[in-house]
């Protein structure tokens, strides 16, 4: 038998979703180690060091326009003034002559003594002479040293999942390599005799494996390094061999299908035979009650159900937070949003309902995407995520605030 944890939180239909999630997160003893990675390769990686601004941005007072730097106190509107100097972008700052104006280009260092820049379209230039129709207010078209970012300011915190914005900010501060979590190594197995890999012709009774490619894409987007294992047939010996090999050298083994107790469900028996230890066997959720998680050798193990929507709900509900915990990332966020649908149901299971965000006036609300059968793939195309109903919910009325779990992560901003 599987070595199960005490049955607290357990109901006949499986343990509570929240209890299952906690047990799965508790499987992580310590986060994966950090490693130095070149900035350009850090998209999707989790930051493990605080990032503090090293330099002021901009690092010097500079012109925000192609134009003329002036000293407003000595400029006379309508009078002809000589252009006495020029600073191009990238040149060191110079000095503004006592009674002149100074040609500057966008981003060029403001000459000492200047306190405004007049855009070139607002002057008349004739050879080296210039006439300004008006004297601008002090500070016009000047970007002050440090007005964007001040050296010493805390910019990013450990736990941030890095995207192009973070890369830009860190590049502006001269960082070339940073400490991020090592990517979790995940072995991904699709199990089932009926499965046929992409590119192969379907035999009678077969379907193409869609869970493997779907989960591979999701895991990669969530920062994992994925090793796809060839499809595993429903056969006890094959299953054992595949799981044993898969667990070698990875942090997580993730399977889909074959996790229930049907005649052709062999994943749990194979795990038992290999000395696996399951902390979760069944979860009171819909879709996807047969969902197992625990340890297999030195790797963690999650067995998702085979129906695509159930596999997806399990991946979003458990695997995404698990990966975040492994990488020491801020947990993925959810939204609170008004439902636009009505629903009555028997309480008892946490339910994942496919939903789309639609705009109503100034706000977005969640609508259902139609028939949800957990084996269906097509409704995913028009959905933006799942509405997550707690086990205790018996009904939803239009206008009720519900929890929305977006397919794209959001709100995972540290502090
Ligand atoms: P199971 O969990 O093995 O009972 O499978 C439940 C349903 O999911 C069956 O209809 C399977 O054919 C289907 N299924 C299992 N694995 C996959 C997969 N990798 N891709 C698409 N459908 C699958
Ligand atoms: Mg099966």
């Amino acid at each position: 038998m599987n070595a199960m944890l005490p049955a607290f939180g357990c109901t006949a239909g499986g343990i509570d979703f929240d209890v299952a999630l906690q047990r799965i997160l508790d499987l992580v003893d310590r986060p994966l180690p950090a490693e130095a990675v070149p900035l350009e390769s850090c998209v999707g990686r989790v930051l493990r060091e605080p990032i503090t601004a090293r330099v002021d941005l901009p690092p010097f007072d500079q012109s925000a326009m192609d134009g003329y730097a002036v000293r407003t106190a000595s400029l006379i509107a309508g009078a002809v003034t000589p252009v006495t100097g020029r600073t191009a972008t990238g040149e060191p700052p110079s000095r503004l002559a006592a009674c002149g104006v100074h040609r500057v280009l966008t981003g060029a260092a403001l000459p000492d003594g200047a306190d405004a820049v007049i855009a070139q379209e607002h002057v008349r230039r004739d050879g080296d002479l210039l006439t300004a129709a008006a004297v601008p207010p002090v500070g016009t078209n000047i970007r002050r040293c440090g007005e964007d970012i001040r050296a010493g300011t805390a910019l990013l915190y450990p736990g941030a999942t890095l995207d192009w914005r973070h890369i830009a900010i860190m590049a502006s501060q001269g960082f070339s390599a940073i400490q991020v979590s090592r990517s979790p190594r995940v072995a991904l197995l699709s199990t089932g005799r009926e499965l046929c890999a992409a590119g192969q012709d379907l035999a009678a009774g077969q379907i193409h494996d869609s869970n493997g490619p779907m989960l591979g894409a999701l895991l990669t987007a969530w920062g994992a390094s994925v090793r796809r294992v060839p499809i595993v047939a429903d056969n006890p010996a094959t299953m054992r061999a595949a799981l044993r090999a898969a667990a070698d050298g990875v942090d997580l083994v993730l399977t889909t299908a074959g996790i229930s107790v049907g005649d052709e469900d062999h994943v749990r028996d194979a795990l038992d035979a290999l000395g696996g230890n399951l902390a979760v066997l069944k979860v009171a959720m819909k879709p996807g009650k047969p969902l197992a998680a625990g340890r297999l050798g030195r790797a963690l193990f999650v067995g998702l159900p085979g129906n695509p929507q159930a596999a997806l709900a399990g991946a979003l509900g458990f695997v995404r937070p698990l990966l975040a915990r492994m990488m020491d990332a801020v947990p993925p966020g959810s939204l609170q949003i008004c439902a636009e649908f009505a629903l009555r149901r028997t309480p008892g299971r946490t339910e994942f309902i496919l939903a789309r965000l639609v705009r109503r006036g100034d706000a977005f609300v969640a609508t259902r995407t139609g028939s949800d059968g957990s084996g269906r793939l097509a409704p995913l195309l028009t959905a933006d995520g799942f509405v997550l109903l707690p086990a205790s919910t018996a009904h939803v009325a239009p206008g009720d605030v519900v929890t929305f779990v977006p397919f794209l992560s959001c709100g995972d901003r540290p502090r």
Side-chain angles (χ1 to χ4, degrees), residues 286 309 341-343 351-356 358 366-374 376-386:
K286 182 184 171 195
Q309 283 188 33
F341 57 86
L343 180 97
E351 187 164 354
F352 284 71
I353 297 172
L354 278 182
R356 181 170 60 231
V358 293
T367 62
R368 297 189 66 171
T369 58
S371 149
D372 294 326
S374 72
R376 295 195 58 200
L377 274 171
L380 298 180
L381 283 178
T382 49
D384 297 307
F386 285 110

Side-chain angles (χ1 to χ4, degrees), residues 31-34 46-50 158-159 179-182 326-328:
L32 293 169
V46 175
L47 186 63
R48 290 288 283 276
E49 60 174 330
Q179 291 287 320
V180 295
S181 288
R182 171 164 80 60
M326 292 166 95
M327 293 184 285
D328 219 3

Side-chain angles (χ1 to χ4, degrees), residues 337-341 393 395-403:
I337 193 163
C338 283
E340 204 186 45
F341 57 86
T393 302
H395 53 82
V396 177
D400 285 358
V401 174
V402 291
T403 299

Side-chain angles (χ1 to χ4, degrees), residues 65-375:
M65 290 285 204
D66 291 337
Y68 295 88
V70 302
R71 184 183 294 106
T72 51
S74 52
L75 187 72
I76 299 166
V80 173
T81 313
V83 179
T84 50
R86 178 179 187 275
T87 305
T89 317
E91 291 179 344
S94 60
R95 250 210 98 63
L96 177 62
C99 341
V101 297
H102 190 106
R103 174 72 172 147
V104 283
L105 300 173
T106 305
L110 192 71
D112 292 344
D115 60 8
V117 171
I118 309 179
Q120 63 188 27
E121 46 277 35
H122 295 148
V123 299
R124 200 174 64 241
R125 183 163 173 176
D126 190 7
D128 278 344
L129 298 176
L130 182 123
T131 310
V135 178
V138 170
T140 301
N141 294 326
I142 293 175
R143 299 176 187 148
R144 290 291 175 199
C145 174
E147 78 173 24
D148 187 5
I149 295 174
R150 248 302 146 226
T153 306
L155 293 174
L156 305 176
Y157 296 92
T161 299
L162 300 173
D163 62 32
W164 52 271
R165 298 166 301 164
H166 308 111
I167 305 293
I169 294 277
M170 289 188 282
S172 81
Q173 295 298 316
F175 288 86
S176 58
I178 50 165
Q179 291 287 320
V180 295
S181 288
R182 171 164 80 60
S183 296
R185 298 179 188 125
V186 184
L188 178 57
L189 293 79
S190 297
T191 78
R193 175 175 294 124
E194 76 278 26
L195 299 180
C196 167
Q200 305 201 345
D201 291 335
L202 290 175
Q206 284 195 315
I207 59 167
H208 282 297
D209 170 18
S210 58
N211 287 345
M214 172 180 77
L215 292 168
L218 281 170
L219 292 165
T220 304
W222 295 338
S225 161
V226 180
R227 186 208 294 169
R228 289 286 304 279
V229 174
I231 291 164
V232 190
D234 295 317
N235 168 293
T238 316
M239 189 68 72
R240 278 197 301 276
L243 283 174
R244 184 187 298 115
D248 189 30
V250 299
D251 304 301
L252 172 66
V253 174
L254 184 63
T255 63
T256 68
I259 195 67
S260 191
V261 288
D263 300 353
E264 294 291 2
D265 292 334
H266 301 295
V267 176
R268 277 164 59 174
D269 286 344
L271 277 167
D272 277 348
L274 295 172
N277 190 343
L278 291 180
V280 172
L281 274 178
K282 259 197 276 178
V283 183
M285 65 187 278
K286 182 184 171 195
K289 186 166 70 175
L291 188 149
R295 291 180 196 282
L296 176 57
R298 287 144 79 113
L300 304 185
F301 169 83
V302 176
L304 298 173
N307 278 312
Q309 283 188 33
L312 178 63
L316 282 161
F318 298 114
V319 180
R320 182 160 62 170
L322 175 63
L323 292 175
R325 175 66 64 98
M326 292 166 95
M327 293 184 285
D328 219 3
V330 173
S334 54
L335 308 172
Q336 295 298 304
I337 193 163
C338 283
E340 204 186 45
F341 57 86
L343 180 97
R344 285 201 172 276
R345 61 173 213 139
T346 310
R349 289 199 281 169
T350 298
E351 187 164 354
F352 284 71
I353 297 172
L354 278 182
R356 181 170 60 231
L357 297 178
V358 293
R359 185 188 278 280
R360 293 283 177 255
D362 288 340
F364 280 92
V365 297
T367 62
R368 297 189 66 171
T369 58
S371 149
D372 294 326
S374 72

